[in-house]
Amino acid sequence: MNRNTKINALLLLVVAALAVLPVALGLGDGEKEPFAGADSQAETAITEIDPDYEPWFSPLYEPPSGEIESALFALQAALGAGVLAYYFGLRRGRRQGELRATAQQDSGGAEGRAGDSTARRN
């Protein structure tokens, strides 16, 4: 295996460990919402410190359940990943097209110059 393959395999193992270890070790046991996000944890902490606290802003849209909220978040992440993948793919395609065009110009120009020299000799 070359160096890049080893690095990619190591990164894949680290990502898999980050996803599996919290569940396998039971880090969320005993909690009402074991893997709640930072927003809900902050809200819980604030209401414990000051029960009369009122937020400055309210959300524009409040999903009816946590599952729908998670689905909308996943959809947002997927759309963002799609936009980034499209952008980077477009950049790579343009760069490859430019490289091919310059390679064709260089090879076409060399053939043209060789043909000119043979024509001049005759």
Side-chain angles (χ1 to χ4, degrees), residues 11-25:
L11 288 174
L12 185 63
L13 286 174
V14 168
V15 168
L18 285 173
V20 171
L21 283 178
V23 176
L25 296 177

Side-chain angles (χ1 to χ4, degrees), residues 69-83:
E69 185 177 357
S70 295
L72 290 173
F73 182 75
L75 178 65
Q76 177 185 357
L79 287 173
V83 168

Side-chain angles (χ1 to χ4, degrees), residues 38-98:
D39 291 343
S40 63
Q41 289 177 352
E43 183 180 348
T44 304
I46 290 170
T47 54
E48 286 176 2
I49 295 170
D50 184 10
D52 297 329
Y53 175 78
E54 291 186 27
W56 294 359
F57 301 100
S58 62
L60 297 175
Y61 171 69
E62 187 78 32
S65 70
E67 290 82 11
I68 294 175
E69 185 177 357
S70 295
L72 290 173
F73 182 75
L75 178 65
Q76 177 185 357
L79 287 173
V83 168
L84 284 175
Y86 175 77
Y87 171 73
F88 286 120
L90 187 66
R91 280 192 54 191
R92 182 176 180 175
R94 285 184 179 171
R95 187 177 51 231
Q96 286 177 346
E98 289 173 359

Side-chain angles (χ1 to χ4, degrees), residues 3 14-15 24 27 32 36 45 72 105 111-112:
R3 185 171 184 255
V14 168
V15 168
L27 295 179
K32 181 180 173 186
L72 290 173
Q105 287 176 352
E111 291 172 359

